[in-house]
Amino acid sequence: MSKRKSTSTLSLLENIKATQQILRKQLCGQSLPHNMYGFEKERSHLFELVKRTATLGESNSVLLVGPRGSGKTMLLKSVLQELKSQTELSEILLEVHLNGLLQTDDRIALKEITRQLQLENTVGDKVFGSFAENLQFLLDALKRGGQETKSIVFILDEFDLFAHHKNQTLLYNLFDVSQSRQAPICVIGLTCRLDVIELLEKRVKSRFSHRQIHLLSDIKFEGYLGQFVSCLSLPDTFQDKTYRKQWNTSIQALAKEDSVRDILRKLYQKSKDLRTLHSLLVLPLCRICENHPQLEAVDLVDSSRYLTQDSKAAMLHGISVLELCLVISMKHLTELYEGEPFNFEMVYNEYRKYAQRRSSMQIFEKPVIMKAFEHLIALELVRPMDGSSSRTQKEYRLLCSLIDSTQVEDSLQTYPGCPTDIRQWAASGVVG
Amino acid sequence: MEVHTTILGILQQTRIAKIEKVKIGGDFIYLYSIWESVTDDQKMSELVCRKLQQETLLALFGEREAVTIPSIFIYGHTGTGKSYTVKNILENLQAPHVIIDCVECFTTKLLFERILGGLSRKVPSPENDYTCQIRCENMNDFARLLKQVITDIGCESETVYIILDKAERLREMDANILPAFLRLQELTGCNICVLLLSEIVWEKFRFGTGYLEPYILHFPDYTKDQILKILQLDVPSNYSEDFYGNYLSLSLSVFYTACRDLTELRHLAKLNFKKYIEPIESGEATVEDTRKLWRNIEPHLKRALQTVYLREISSSQWERMQEKHADNGDKSSLTSSGNISAMVSRSNMELPFYSKYLLIAAYIASYNPAKSDRRFFSKNCGRLSSRMKKNAKKTERTSSQLLGPKPFPLDRLMAIFYSIMEGRITPSAHIFSQISSLVTLQLLGHIQGGDLLDSPKYKCLVSFDGIKSIARTVGFDIVRYLFDFI
């Protein structure tokens, strides 16, 4: 009791630290959420499949299809976690994690499989005739080792990338093994491409079980709001109960505020993806400190302003007056010729017509203007129509502007110290 | 020193370090150290005007062992302190980090090995026979080795930062590199935060089925006052801050409209300061004499905009030129800007007499429609019909000055050449060989394809200003012969 009294501020600091640690983990996608939302049916389906492989020695293959951030990996992780927590299964269930981003061809993939099954020593310097022979050897080696056959779960993340490998050897062999009764394996593919089946060759396709689990989020706004509360609340396991209660009630109060609801609704209408929600919450959470121990609506408003900033307008804000003039010239050219491509000479001509009318403007030499123009190309605000290998002179290369005329107008509003005649020029039509 | 400045010049000029030819070894390290010295130089500006960004980054990084977001994308114009701020913060935190410039590491192998080497803090050197370099060929090995390196240096629990500068180059590498870096935390299972720095907006990075989106952070450009404040940090010890500030606002008044890049402005300001204080050192003016100093420096700054800023001459050349002027005390040449531009001259090349006429003929052939040749070169030409005149005026888009040179066959070139030459010339191999030497000089372009032997096609690559000055040397009024100027 006395201890608590003497270190009351410290315990606040400690509590904040602990809170940040737990919630950061969740928002950054490193730990599973303490209460999962939705996909109960899909989850039990997947759970059954993997379990049957483990217990009955049944081979299976399945594809998890869903857009990015819909929770494919999360679902799979939670299924595997639950299976592993059952001790009798954790011994006979082996996992092989492959990712299309890492294993860019089948040779690397096979090496990685060997490594993950810890069979490097068994394989040694053996030379195999074919891919299938090698894989079969690996599976047999597992059989020989233990008294009973071990089941392997192959997890292929970014499944669509494996379909681009030469002859789809890995997929063919894995599906082939899962079809024949060699060793109990379960092939789980994760992908965000709905048309992934079309990528498979005929002989691969015919060996696949065609079992697909679609994870399409149908989350309602109320559910979304619930996710907002749940991913910011502290779990029951949190040490300081009073602090936890206090924090959780503050989060619930936050969710009822109108400004917060507005922001969340806007975000929800843009994307139901929970990852965007997380990135909204990350900064406010990170900013919590002793002087600012609670999340407030203002923080969220701030953060959402960061996220919704128009990046091109932000870049336009930083270009020089000369470059701005060129952007306006390009805007006029695009309007005049209805979006047809232009080249540097035309832009220069347009600019010169303007600059000669206004004697107040500093007049630059052509090479200086060229340098400014090249800067715009480097910033990719202007795109060459043909490839970079084209042999035409750079003055006459056809280009098209990637800046919308409304974006130009918006950026002119915010441009620091924009000369009035430039603004007028931009607003006016073509200079006669 | 000379080499140093030249390389620096090249780097500043192209902003692309060309290191393709340089193999790993002594040279490579040398180039790299130059970059280092540039950034060290900037240390004087201890994070001025970047408080907000610093706070945001610090909050996102959190404590040393805190879990961080997998990747942060930082964008903003060059010279807005992206790399510097990040570097400064990480050095102050003493967090394990490695900074990689993606221009230097132009292959995936280089990229991986530099990251691993940088984290393990082992540099290939004579002591270890250049053997400690970790070999890494592909992303799979990289993820595995990275985990190993992190365990080796004892940072399993700490956040490890990988900073990829000029990240837009990653788009040109294999398709799996960028998405894999964005997911590196998930792929390795280590506490890694990848920071991507670029001057290109994130929208241009998206490709295919999309990536794990990074946290996007914008570094806004400095305002004019902030730029002045930062430039003020360079104040020389023997002059007061007010005096230098005065000079800076003068120099900004010339350069600021054309360029807002801090490094560029800083370079120019430093370079011209010597000239600015010249009257003071020679006793012609005092520190208070701002008006006189301004009159003295203004033409100089304007000229610098046309030469040094465009990198037509290197900064050491510029300094030498300034000294030469000072030695001669030649005041008249200072005021005539033509003098210097002649010295720097963009297309001042002494050509043989016939070559000049060939070039003029080529220009006419490239920029005039073939139909109009009769009007310019035949004896009894009719006047331009009113309808044709109207057509010419109607749309400027058709003006060939704006659209660039058109290809023409050799026969047409020769026909125009004979008609503009006074007196008779016999066609000889001599003249034809001059055409091919003009092609080698890149004044004419040879059009690929078609019949190469019988009727090769060419294009004139000289600009209008260039051809005017060439025509002037032979006393030929080219404007009279150009369709666009009638």
Side-chain angles (χ1 to χ4, degrees), chain A residues 322-342:
Chain A
L322 176 60
E323 283 153 1
L324 190 67
C325 287
L326 295 182
V327 168
I328 295 171
S329 303
M330 288 189 279
K331 174 191 163 232
H332 284 330
L333 280 174
T334 323
E335 275 166 12
L336 184 60
Y337 298 116
E338 285 149 2
E340 272 188 54
F342 49 82

Side-chain angles (χ1 to χ4, degrees), chain A residues 174-281:
Chain A
L174 283 181
F175 285 146
D176 196 45
V177 172
S178 77
Q179 282 280 307
S180 56
R181 301 181 46 190
Q182 297 176 22
I185 68 165
C186 180
V187 184
I188 305 175
L190 288 86
T191 181
C192 57
R193 280 187 69 162
L194 289 169
D195 63 340
V196 68
I197 292 292
E198 305 305 315
L199 295 173
L200 298 177
E201 284 173 25
K202 205 171 142 203
R203 62 199 176 99
V204 181
K205 206 191 276 182
S206 66
R207 280 168 176 75
F208 172 55
S209 67
H210 286 270
R211 203 180 276 121
Q212 289 190 40
I213 301 178
H214 286 271
L215 299 181
L216 299 172
S217 170
D218 55 347
I219 188 167
K220 296 279 181 312
F221 182 65
E222 293 313 312
Y224 193 74
L225 213 58
Q227 276 298 304
F228 166 77
V229 173
S230 94
C231 72
L232 279 179
S233 333
L234 292 169
D236 302 335
T237 48
F238 195 77
Q239 265 182 342
D240 193 331
K241 299 290 176 211
T242 44
Y243 180 80
R244 175 178 162 260
K245 205 172 164 197
Q246 200 189 335
W247 172 269
N248 286 356
T249 36
S250 82
I251 294 297
Q252 262 151 17
L254 191 65
K256 290 201 178 74
E257 277 189 46
D258 282 343
S259 56
V260 175
R261 274 175 170 254
D262 271 355
I263 292 172
L264 291 179
R265 193 177 292 277
K266 258 183 220 156
L267 206 64
Y268 170 76
Q269 278 158 359
K270 227 162 67 181
S271 130
K272 295 176 183 175
D273 185 355
L274 289 182
R275 271 195 197 136
T276 36
L277 177 65
H278 289 171
S279 62
L280 172 79
L281 301 178

Side-chain angles (χ1 to χ4, degrees), chain B residues 259-316:
Chain B
C259 167
R260 286 177 66 183
D261 185 345
L262 180 65
T263 26
E264 198 85 74
L265 291 172
R266 190 158 163 254
H267 176 65
L268 288 166
K270 270 185 165 177
L271 207 62
N272 291 310
F273 187 61
K274 224 194 270 170
K275 193 75 205 169
Y276 183 64
I277 56 172
E278 213 171 62
I280 296 175
E281 306 218 310
S282 66
E284 285 175 42
T286 54
V287 176
E288 283 83 40
D289 231 344
T290 12
R291 190 176 275 274
K292 194 167 184 186
L293 291 173
W294 164 241
R295 267 206 307 276
N296 180 47
I297 194 71
E298 195 195 3
H300 264 279
L301 293 179
K302 290 227 163 113
R303 218 168 310 127
L305 183 67
Q306 288 159 23
T307 49
V308 186
Y309 173 64
L310 296 173
R311 313 279 180 237
E312 284 181 340
I313 55 174
S314 73
S315 36
S316 58

Side-chain angles (χ1 to χ4, degrees), chain B residues 15 46 126 146 170 181 204 222 232 235 325 391 436 482:
Chain B
R15 303 191 159 279
E46 268 296 328
L146 188 63
L170 291 178
F181 268 112
K204 312 246 169 194
Y222 294 114
Q232 190 83 61
V235 61
H325 278 302
N391 273 348
S436 63
L482 288 177

